[in-house]
Amino acid sequence: MENIKNKWLEQHLNTIVLGDSYELIKNIPDNTIDCIYTDIPYLFESYGKCNNECGIRFHRLMNESIDVISNGINYKILDEFIRVMKKINIFIWCSKSQILDIMNYFTNKGCRYEILVWCKTNPVPLANNSWLSDIEYCLYFREKNVRVNDGIKLKSKFYISQINKADKELYKHPTIKPIKQVEQHLKHVLKSGEIVLDPFCGSGTTCEAAKINGFDFIGIENNTKWHKIAVGRINGITADGQTSIFTDFEELGK
Ligand SMILES: C[S@@+](CC[C@H](N)C(=O)[O-])C[C@H]1O[C@@H](n2cnc3c(N)ncnc32)[C@H](O)[C@@H]1O
C-alpha cells in the first residue's frame, strides 16, 4: 500500500493535479512534505445570494455536512496537512473570519506562529461604516524545532504592493497572490529540492514560485478553468496563450 502511495507522489511531483484535495491528499504518504503553502477557499458572508464561484462552493460544502464544515473550508483537512508534513511548517492565506479557528487549531498543537500581511496601496475604496480592505493575512505555523533560513530580506512580515493587476490580467484568478511575496516566504523556509504542497492552488502562484527557486512542488486544483491556467503558467504560458516566462512586471515598473 505504502509503495502505491509513494508511486503517486513520484508520478505527481512537479505537476498540478486536477481534482478534489480532500480526496487526493489521501494518496500522499505520511511525513513526506517539507512545507504546505496554500490560500484556502474563503467564506463569503452573503449566504443567500452569493453567486460567484467561491460562494457556490461554500453552499455545496454546507449541504454536505454542516457540523464538520465551517467558514468555507472543511477543517478536517488540517489533520491531513499535519499527517503529510515531515514537521509542521505551513503558510495559510485566509480571510479575517477564518483566523481564529486556524490559530486555535495550530497553537493547540504547540506551534509557533506569525501573522504575515500583504498591504495593498490601492485598495477598492469602501464607503459606510467600514475599514478599507487593504490587508490580506497569511498565517504561518511551525513546530518549535523547525529552522528557518537566514537573510534579512526573507524575514520581513509584510509586503507592500499595489493590488496585482498585472498578474490578474495574465492569469485571471480573482484571489491571485503576489508571486514575489510567495517566493520570499518559500525561500525563508525551504532548501533546494525540498517539496511544497499547495492543495488549493488556483492559478498556480505557489507552484510557479517553487519552480523559479528550485523547490519541488505538487499543486491540486479542482476547477478545470484554474487548473488549465495553472498548468500553462508553470510552462510559461499565460491564460491568453502568450509566452510569459521572461516577463517581470516589477522590473518593468508596472
Ligand atoms: C483562494 S483560491 C487560491 C488562489 C491562488 N493562491 C492564486 O494565487 O491563484 C482557492 C482555490 O482553491 C480551489 N479549491 C476549492 N476547493 C477545492 C478542493 N476541494 N480541491 C481542490 N481545489 C479546491 C478553488 O477553485 C480556488 O481556485
Side-chain angles (χ1 to χ4, degrees):
M1 184 66 179
E2 205 52 40
N3 276 343
I4 296 169
K5 284 189 166 184
N6 277 305
K7 212 170 169 189
W8 189 94
L9 189 65
E10 265 172 44
Q11 276 172 354
H12 295 91
L13 200 61
N14 298 319
T15 69
I16 296 174
V17 188
L18 175 64
D20 181 359
S21 53
Y22 294 91
E23 286 305 314
L24 291 176
I25 200 166
K26 294 177 190 160
N27 293 306
I28 301 180
D30 299 356
N31 310 316
T32 47
I33 299 295
D34 296 284
C35 171
I36 290 181
Y37 193 100
T38 199
D39 180 12
I40 61 177
Y42 298 163
L43 170 66
F44 283 81
E45 286 169 16
S46 55
Y47 298 168
K49 290 181 185 157
C50 182
N51 60 3
N52 62 40
E53 285 170 40
C54 299
I56 286 167
R57 190 167 54 244
F58 180 64
H59 286 300
R60 184 174 64 75
L61 289 171
M62 290 284 284
N63 289 338
E64 276 171 16
S65 170
I66 196 154
D67 56 343
V68 291
I69 289 156
S70 56
N71 240 350
I73 181 174
N74 182 336
Y75 287 121
K76 276 195 169 169
I77 202 168
L78 300 181
D79 296 338
E80 283 294 291
F81 287 177
I82 291 197
R83 180 186 67 75
V84 301
M85 281 185 285
K86 291 175 184 165
K87 291 177 182 168
I88 298 171
N89 186 20
I90 182 166
F91 294 81
I92 305 182
W93 288 87
C94 63
S95 67
K96 191 179 68 177
S97 63
Q98 293 166 320
I99 289 177
L100 278 181
D101 289 333
I102 297 170
M103 287 286 261
N104 281 333
Y105 180 89
F106 285 99
T107 53
N108 283 338
K109 305 228 174 268
C111 290
R112 294 181 176 178
Y113 69 89
E114 297 293 346
I115 301 176
L116 312 171
V117 291
W118 170 26
C119 309
K120 303 173 192 177
T121 52
N122 58 341
V124 180
L126 291 174
N128 302 327
N129 188 20
S130 63
W131 293 75
L132 283 178
S133 57
D134 55 359
I135 284 185
E136 290 207 28
Y137 304 95
C138 178
L139 306 179
Y140 173 65
F141 303 96
R142 60 171 160 149
E143 277 175 55
K144 287 201 174 89
N145 55 359
V146 168
R147 302 275 312 157
V148 290
N149 296 320
D150 234 335
I152 193 89
K153 279 192 179 164
L154 303 179
K155 291 176 182 282
S156 185
K157 294 177 191 165
F158 66 87
Y159 180 84
I160 303 176
S161 76
Q162 297 204 334
I163 50 174
N164 47 353
K165 262 183 153 178
D167 281 354
K168 248 184 206 172
E169 269 165 29
L170 287 179
Y171 304 112
K172 316 294 182 203
H173 202 291
T175 62
I176 194 166
K177 296 299 175 290
I179 189 160
K180 292 284 174 199
Q181 186 176 17
V182 178
E183 285 187 68
Q184 180 197 317
H185 290 162
L186 293 183
K187 285 195 282 187
H188 194 27
V189 306
L190 284 175
K191 295 193 175 16
S192 174
E194 289 189 328
I195 305 176
V196 57
L197 167 71
D198 186 346
F200 299 105
C201 83
S203 64
T205 311
T206 306
C207 301
E208 189 188 13
K211 186 170 179 178
I212 291 170
N213 291 286
F215 307 128
D216 284 330
F217 62 88
I218 299 176
I220 304 176
E221 172 56 49
N222 71 351
N223 178 300
T224 48
K225 174 179 163 187
W226 304 127
H227 175 259
K228 188 170 173 218
I229 287 175
V231 171
R233 183 173 184 181
I234 57 163
N235 290 302
I237 310 288
T238 70
D240 295 330
Q242 307 294 315
T243 306
S244 68
I245 205 136
F246 298 117
T247 310
D248 185 332
F249 283 91
E250 216 165 69
E251 278 173 16
L252 292 173
K254 291 195 180 179

